Amino acid sequence: MKTIRIQLETLTCPSCINKIESVLNKQNGVKEAKVMFNSSKVKITYDSEKITSEALAEIIEKLGYPVLS
Amino acid sequence: MVSGSLLLSALLIYLFNLSDFAREIILIIAAVIAGVPIAIKAFQAVRMKTFSIDLLVTIAVIGAMIIGEFTEAAVVSFLFLFGDYLEGRTLQKTRASLKSLIDMAPLEAVILKNGNQVVIPVDEVKVGDHVIVRPGGRIPVDGKVISGQSSVNEAAITGESVPVNKTKGDRVFTSTVSDNGYLEIIAEKVGDDTTFSKIIELVEEAQETKAKTQKFMERFAAYYTPGILIFSVIVGLITLNAHLALTFLVIACPGALVISVPVSIVAGIGNGAKNGILIKGGDKMENLAQINTLVFDKTGTLTKGKPEVTDIKPYGISEKELLKLAAEVEVTSEHHLGKTIVQKAKENKIELEAQPSDVEIMKGHGLKALLNYSEFYIGNKSGAEKLEILIPETASSYMLQQQEKGNTAVVVVRDNQVIGIISIADQIREEAPATLNELKEAGIADLIMLTGDNEQMAQKVARQLGMDRVYSELLPEDKVHKVSELKASGRKVAMVGDGINDAPAIATADVGIAIGGTATDVTMQTADVILMSEKLDKLPYALKLAKATVRNMKQNTYLALITVALLLLGVLTDHIHLASGMLIHEISVIAVILNAVRLVRYPKLQFGFKSFKMKKSDAKVNYAPSWSSRNK
């Protein structure tokens, strides 16, 4: 199990939280995804054998939220 | 964004001019330009099988175009985008406090490598590296000073802007600023392990924890949005009035409802963090605002936790000589009273020359030793009696007098002759009396002190501080019982302690407050509120901030709920249409955020008569350099 924090561009709508969290949580290998709205970060605990951090970042980008780091 | 606003202004001109056809074309273009980005977001969400506000708005806009309401379509999409933009801008302000803290983190460090000074990024500094901090520089690691001296401004950690003098052997923290001297530091903690990083992490997570009010609002929104949606479909089907149905779609956006409470919390927690007060979440904030009973641990919280010599009474020799002899004997002692005496001699710059020999510890009494061919005993009265040393009447009554004052009286005996008495006590913190007064004024009904010390000692401290009640001779588990008892009697109890030996009581209280967060990780974990500086004086500010935050939260809650009621009422009575509905919706969101921004600037910009009673201590907090420099 690994934990990463992904910094996003500033989040503005609280509904984005649900959007990002629910999609990430549905991914195979993701144990827990939590959006920290106020710091615009996503904290993801995941199994690195099932999914890579790049893939996670890509999913977030696809939802329409640019990933900074 | 820009094109949208340009089109809107063009549209305004056309509104007052001719050609219906040209106007409609422009409106359609405006609606499409503003609407497309919204539609894209909505589409992205739909593709991921989630539902979003963007979708509601997109449907409303497209619907409006179909029924030929181009003006409405253009205005709604424009307002939504513009509102989104404004929200982003103002939201950033509520997050400003934390952001400015993070910005304080240094990016580079100068380390000494093979005798050369090398500049490297902060991430690459390793534990054990030899770090150099020049005057005016920010310290890049947590570590120990190995040479040099400087006064260091620790405001980034403690919120305290008075510089602290640091010299060899002292600990320094990341992000504090070395004011005027040169320091060499051995790195002990780097990167994410530093106290500073932990503070940031803690605050970030705290800002996410939900307050009770917030949970209520979210539950409300969870029913409100789909409820209104279903309602709009039903209304549309029954009345066949597409316009009315679309209006419902727009006002179903939960906007202000969802955001009203979190923005207040973020602003409040951020403000605290900047002033050296960590509040671990919205729920803790709510609890803190309700506290009416404060329970203090004595040692280390109300007192300094380090005993000091309070009085020296010599018999037949000089005061200095007495202290010197006592210190020379006690220099080998491991007992804290002995150490205190040696410390006092050092403070008075007394050179210790003679070495004691034949040291014999008398457990529970004191010690015996040979010094300069004389036989010494330093300890308590019972030990002297055991050695059949005669204590003169005057000395004996003096000792009693000291004990009544709450001091520990140590008798110094040379060759069976009492040559003096040294009184030792744990001193009350300088800021304690004023702080406790302020707390009472801030509305705390009961100040209670708990201590493991004996009754006399406890009473003395309590009298000096004006505590309402004292419980003495308690074991750590007794303290927990006392806190539970107070809670059971219906009080809202906060326990204030130093976080290490008081951890169980701190965990039991409604709100656990630890002072001196720089000390240990344990402190950071158990307490709900952490005062980072080793001082009490931030306590009243913390309480007032919590109250102001809760007040702000309530204002926002009412604002959001009233807006919803007004919108519903307006739509049902046919006073509000698509565009005006969106306008009111956006205004309410911005109003809620702006209200929260006031908290960032707390204690300035507060409404109500209370704000005029601003005390000196508030003003002091306000003008700490971290504030003024960041707000310009």
Side-chain angles (χ1 to χ4, degrees):
Chain A
M1 280 299 147
K2 259 186 165 178
T3 302
I4 49 161
R5 284 161 167 257
I6 298 177
Q7 176 75 55
L8 308 179
E9 252 180 29
T10 313
L11 297 174
T12 51
C13 63
S15 67
C16 323
I17 302 176
N18 291 332
K19 201 153 78 176
I20 300 174
E21 277 181 4
S22 61
V23 169
L24 284 175
N25 278 321
K26 272 184 225 156
Q27 303 300 319
N28 190 20
V30 172
K31 191 170 164 262
E32 200 198 350
K34 195 174 177 333
V35 172
M36 294 197 282
F37 177 61
N38 300 301
S39 44
S40 304
K41 281 181 188 164
V42 192
K43 193 172 157 189
I44 311 170
T45 313
Y46 66 103
D47 188 341
S48 55
E49 281 171 15
K50 287 185 182 148
I51 195 161
T52 63
S53 59
E54 289 80 27
L56 290 169
E58 202 180 308
I59 292 167
I60 299 172
E61 294 240 348
K62 255 195 205 158
L63 282 170
Y65 303 97
V67 170
L68 295 182
S69 63
Chain B
M1 184 72 244
V2 181
S3 54
S5 59
L6 276 175
L7 280 166
L8 199 80
S9 48
L11 159 141
L12 284 173
I13 301 164
Y14 270 88
L15 274 177
F16 298 105
N17 280 349
L18 359 132
S19 170
D20 263 6
F21 180 71
R23 198 190 75 190
E24 282 188 357
I25 295 292
I26 297 237
L27 281 172
I28 290 170
I29 297 172
V32 168
I33 289 184
V36 163
I38 308 172
I40 291 175
K41 278 212 166 166
F43 175 68
Q44 278 167 334
V46 170
R47 203 176 52 185
M48 291 294 179
K49 296 192 191 85
T50 46
F51 170 84
S52 71
I53 298 175
D54 311 295
L55 188 63
L56 290 183
V57 177
T58 312
I59 297 172
V61 169
I62 294 172
M65 302 249 270
I66 292 170
I67 59 169
E69 290 279 1
F70 301 115
T71 321
E72 301 262 303
V75 172
V76 165
S77 48
F78 167 73
L79 278 178
F80 185 72
L81 271 191
F82 187 59
D84 215 35
Y85 167 77
L86 275 186
E87 269 172 62
R89 288 290 303 271
T90 42
L91 259 182
Q92 231 143 44
K93 291 230 167 79
T94 67
R95 298 168 181 168
S97 319
L98 184 62
K99 182 88 179 22
S100 66
L101 256 189
I102 294 172
D103 288 344
M104 281 188 204
L107 299 171
E108 289 177 333
V110 183
I111 64 165
L112 209 57
K113 216 171 193 177
N114 308 325
N116 294 324
Q117 294 193 5
V118 206
V119 181
I120 58 169
V122 137
D123 303 341
E124 289 172 20
V125 181
K126 287 187 213 62
V127 173
D129 274 354
H130 196 134
V131 181
I132 286 169
V133 182
R134 300 199 183 93
R138 259 180 207 284
I139 295 169
V141 294
D142 281 10
K144 212 164 233 162
V145 177
I146 47 167
S147 88
Q149 190 194 353
S150 177
S151 56
V152 174
N153 185 331
E154 298 194 312
I157 301 280
T158 62
E160 193 74 45
S161 56
V162 182
V164 188
N165 198 38
K166 298 280 182 179
T167 173
K168 196 181 166 183
D170 287 339
R171 296 194 57 190
V172 289
F173 300 99
T174 307
S175 282
T176 57
V177 182
S178 170
D179 261 358
N180 51 17
Y182 173 90
L183 289 173
E184 286 185 37
I185 301 158
I186 289 288
E188 286 177 338
K189 283 176 183 169
V190 296
D192 287 346
D193 296 332
T194 63
T195 306
F196 185 73
S197 303
K198 292 227 173 91
I199 292 176
I200 300 292
E201 208 182 306
L202 223 127
V203 173
E204 278 179 351
E205 305 220 335
Q207 289 184 333
E208 304 300 325
T209 35
K210 288 175 185 169
K212 276 173 241 146
T213 330
Q214 189 174 352
K215 286 181 189 149
F216 163 75
M217 293 297 268
E218 280 175 4
R219 227 175 304 138
F220 185 82
Y223 289 110
Y224 175 75
T225 305
I228 295 289
L229 275 181
I230 293 165
F231 196 57
S232 75
V233 173
I234 295 171
V235 168
L237 287 177
I238 293 173
T239 63
L240 290 177
N241 182 346
H243 196 267
L244 186 63
L246 289 177
T247 310
F248 268 113
L249 274 187
V250 167
I251 67 155
C253 300
L257 282 179
V258 184
I259 209 171
S260 58
V261 179
V263 284
S264 302
I265 289 173
V266 168
I269 289 177
N271 181 312
K274 225 173 168 178
N275 288 298
I277 302 159
L278 301 190
I279 299 169
K280 291 214 283 200
D283 45 346
K284 314 286 195 272
M285 188 72 104
E286 282 173 319
N287 291 340
L288 184 60
Q290 289 175 354
I291 290 302
N292 56 21
T293 304
L294 268 176
V295 181
F296 292 88
D297 173 57
K298 184 181 82 77
T299 311
T301 306
L302 292 172
T303 65
K304 288 176 181 163
K306 286 180 216 137
E308 279 174 29
V309 172
T310 53
D311 236 327
I312 302 172
K313 179 95 179 166
Y315 294 104
I317 58 174
S318 78
E319 202 173 287
K320 193 179 162 188
E321 220 174 327
L322 173 66
L323 186 58
K324 182 180 168 176
L325 288 169
E328 279 169 348
V329 174
E330 291 283 3
V331 84
T332 52
S333 168
E334 286 297 317
H335 195 272
H336 70 270
L337 289 178
K339 282 185 176 166
T340 309
I341 292 173
V342 176
Q343 180 65 31
K344 179 76 179 173
K346 277 187 186 154
E347 274 168 28
N348 290 3
K349 305 236 170 0
I350 294 172
E351 199 86 27
L352 302 185
E353 292 153 328
Q355 286 286 329
S357 58
D358 297 341
V359 180
E360 189 189 317
I361 310 279
M362 296 169 62
K363 217 165 177 192
H365 299 297
L367 61 75
K368 273 196 321 181
L370 274 179
L371 188 86
N372 297 339
Y373 310 106
S374 297
E375 212 171 271
F376 274 84
Y377 165 77
I378 301 178
N380 58 16
K381 203 174 170 181
S382 60
E385 277 160 3
K386 215 171 164 191
L387 294 169
E388 291 173 5
I389 295 163
L390 187 78
I391 298 177
E393 181 55 35
T394 46
S396 176
S397 68
Y398 174 80
M399 281 177 91
L400 212 65
Q401 205 184 315
Q402 285 297 323
Q403 268 158 6
E404 273 165 9
K405 277 207 269 172
N407 293 327
T408 307
V410 176
V411 59
V412 183
V413 182
R414 179 171 62 185
D415 296 331
N416 288 331
Q417 280 277 316
V418 174
I419 57 168
I421 287 154
I422 297 175
S423 306
I424 294 169
D426 188 3
Q427 299 268 295
I428 288 172
R429 287 174 186 270
E430 285 109 14
E431 75 277 10
T435 304
L436 294 178
N437 250 333
E438 234 181 292
L439 286 171
K440 280 214 163 145
E441 279 172 28
I444 298 294
D446 272 316
L447 296 171
I448 297 169
M449 185 176 96
L450 305 182
T451 176
D453 278 349
N454 65 50
E455 178 82 27
Q456 270 179 342
M457 199 89 98
Q459 287 294 349
K460 175 200 168 196
V461 174
R463 256 200 314 279
Q464 282 178 346
L465 290 173
M467 305 297 290
D468 295 307
R469 251 186 292 169
V470 190
Y471 298 101
S472 54
E473 290 164 45
L474 300 175
L475 298 170
E477 57 263 38
D478 297 334
K479 292 185 187 174
V480 177
H481 285 313
K482 271 280 171 285
V483 172
S484 317
E485 255 176 58
L486 288 166
K487 265 172 79 176
S489 70
R491 295 158 190 270
K492 292 282 173 193
V493 184
M495 169 84 200
V496 190
D498 60 10
I500 307 154
N501 41 25
D502 306 321
I506 283 178
T508 310
D510 292 308
V511 178
I513 304 174
I515 60 167
T518 53
T520 56
D521 291 351
V522 186
T523 320
M524 283 212 181
Q525 279 158 17
T526 26
D528 303 313
V529 178
I530 301 151
L531 307 182
M532 294 306 292
S533 69
E534 291 282 341
K535 283 182 169 178
L536 279 173
D537 54 3
K538 287 281 160 64
L539 202 50
Y541 184 81
L543 276 171
K544 285 183 212 160
L545 178 66
K547 282 190 178 155
T549 308
V550 169
R551 205 159 49 226
N552 199 282
M553 251 157 61
K554 281 194 181 139
Q555 289 161 355
N556 277 356
T557 311
Y558 291 135
L559 196 71
L561 290 175
I562 289 170
T563 309
V564 164
L566 279 180
L567 279 173
L568 272 179
L569 204 72
V571 173
L572 290 174
T573 57
D574 204 26
H575 279 91
I576 291 175
H577 302 282
L578 266 181
S580 45
M582 182 53 94
L583 185 67
I584 294 175
H585 171 83
E586 291 297 346
I587 288 176
S588 71
V589 171
I590 306 260
V592 155
I593 299 177
L594 284 178
N595 189 36
V597 169
R598 291 189 306 120
L599 263 187
V600 175
R601 309 224 187 287
Y602 181 83
K604 281 187 202 159
L605 287 176
Q606 292 304 298
F607 297 147
F609 65 96
K610 273 186 178 167
S611 58
F612 297 108
K613 257 172 55 187
M614 209 172 81
K615 284 197 214 75
K616 266 188 189 154
S617 55
D618 289 349
K620 207 168 65 198
V621 171
N622 204 1
Y623 292 123
S626 56
W627 263 94
S628 43
S629 60
R630 294 283 154 180
N631 280 341
K632 267 172 200 160

